[in-house]
Structures are given as C-alpha cells and as structure tokens.
Amino acid sequence: MSRDTRPAPFFVGESPALDFLNSVAKPRSTLFEWLETGEDLLDWMVAAGLASETEVTPFRAPSAAAELERARQDIVNFREEFRAFIEGASGVALTDDHHPIIARINGILASGPHYLLIMSGGMGQPYELVNRHQLWTPADLIIRIAAVAARLITQSDFRYVRNCEGPSCTLYFLDVSKNHKRRWCSMEVCGNRAKAAAFRSK
C-alpha cells in the first residue's frame, strides 16, 4: 500500500508499546502497515515520540539503507513476538513471569548504550530519573521500543489491556478511563460505526 492511500498511524493505545503493536492494523477491511520500509520506520519512531528527527536523520542516508532495513526486519519480527504475548495476556492479571518475551526484552535492553538523566517530573514531583538509550546505529532503534514494552509489562494492569470490539478491528489499547468501560479503539474509527449499526438493527 502506498503512502498516498495509507492513513496516518493510529496512536490510540494510551501506551507507546501498544501503539507499536498497532503499527500494523486492520481497523476495517484493509490492512495497513506503517513499518513497510526503513523510511517508514524512522517516520513512525518520530511520530510516536520514541526518537527525534535529529537522532534519526543520519539513518536516512543512503549509506545506512542496508543496516536500516535489517533493523526494520528485526523490529517487525519483535512486534509479532510481542503481539503473541499481548494476545495471550490481555484482559487478565499478569501471572506468567517466565514468558519468553521477558527474556527477549531483557536481552534487547542489555544490548545498547544508555545513560541516566534527571528531567522535569510530573505528578507533583519536581524531577524524575529517566533512562535514555542512545541511537548510534539503526540497530539501536529496537532498544527504545523494548523499553516501552518493558514499561507496559511492569507498570500496567493487564486486565485493562484490550482489543477493540470492532468486528474486524485489530487495534489494542490500555483502558485508562475512569470506569474502565472503554470498548473502541476510537469513536471515529469503530465506535460510531457500531452505534450506527445498532441503530439500523432496531
């Protein structure tokens, strides 16, 4: 599918890790892939807030194309491993601490250069300590993705990790609504369509 016919990526997951999972999606009848090329991957990383344009600009050089493509393939493979984990774990409390994805993520996180940084905090805290993974080569991109996957696994209640209730929708989200009653990836994509279908059936 060309960029001209593909919509902008969906960022409806309330988690960068689930947005990563949603970088390939079938909200209706068409499958969209936002990591189809190396350039796609870099564009998505920037749009997702996982890298800055300044950081990825060197990877856009023709000399980096082969390495970028290898990184893209590794990331897409990791996405499908992570999808298998999410499909099995969503909607229930996490109990399996020996799932292969844990070792996979730990291996990725241990592979790249990183440093600690004090930054402005939130939630009433003036500062927070964050771990920043440096991007020296395209192969380092997966570390940023593994980091957000690790945060989802360690900090989120998986009872509220859900697949959209749209009949064919593959999008996932973390339900952070007050009453945990969210059903749709978004009202625009699936919610309004479901409401219209319900109205027609009356």
Side-chain angles (χ1 to χ4, degrees):
M1 176 165 294
S2 73
R3 291 183 175 214
D4 293 336
T5 57
R6 184 178 62 191
F10 292 111
F11 294 106
V12 298
E14 299 294 343
S15 159
L18 295 178
D19 287 333
F20 168 61
L21 204 63
N22 295 337
S23 62
V24 61
K26 187 178 180 183
R28 296 190 182 175
S29 58
T30 303
L31 183 70
F32 299 108
E33 168 64 84
W34 286 277
L35 306 184
E36 197 166 14
T37 67
E39 285 288 324
D40 283 347
L41 170 61
L42 299 180
D43 290 344
W44 185 88
M45 292 287 293
V46 172
L50 296 182
S52 69
E53 183 59 43
T54 300
E55 287 178 305
V56 303
T57 293
F59 307 154
R60 296 187 187 277
S63 59
E67 190 174 3
L68 178 59
E69 175 57 21
R70 286 193 295 272
R72 186 196 69 82
Q73 291 175 7
D74 287 345
I75 286 170
V76 168
N77 289 338
F78 174 69
R79 182 181 65 189
E80 297 317 304
E81 293 174 54
F82 189 56
R83 181 183 311 283
F85 168 73
I86 293 295
E87 287 175 348
S90 62
V92 296
L94 283 181
T95 57
D96 182 5
D97 59 356
H98 294 95
H99 194 284
I101 199 69
I102 304 302
R104 176 83 164 101
I105 291 172
N106 283 339
I108 294 170
L109 293 176
S111 67
H114 62 96
Y115 59 94
L116 295 173
L117 189 68
I118 296 175
M119 297 185 67
S120 297
M123 303 295 289
Q125 298 294 324
Y127 299 106
E128 63 177 331
L129 186 64
V130 297
N131 199 334
R132 283 284 183 262
H133 292 86
Q134 294 179 289
L135 300 178
W136 295 115
T137 72
D140 295 327
L141 293 167
I142 196 172
I143 302 172
R144 297 268 178 100
I145 293 170
V148 295
R151 289 191 192 99
L152 177 72
I153 291 170
T154 58
Q155 298 176 5
S156 299
D157 188 334
F158 266 63
R159 292 177 298 171
Y160 306 124
V161 173
R162 296 176 179 154
N163 182 211
C164 176
E165 291 185 17
S168 63
C169 187
T170 62
L171 292 164
Y172 277 87
F173 58 86
L174 177 63
D175 183 1
V176 296
S177 64
K178 184 177 180 180
N179 296 319
H180 300 296
K181 299 292 187 183
R182 180 176 169 185
R183 300 175 61 193
W184 318 109
C185 57
S186 72
M187 289 305 296
E188 294 77 14
V189 175
C190 287
N192 288 335
R193 185 168 50 140
K195 286 187 173 184
F199 180 79
R200 288 194 300 270
S201 67
K202 289 182 179 180

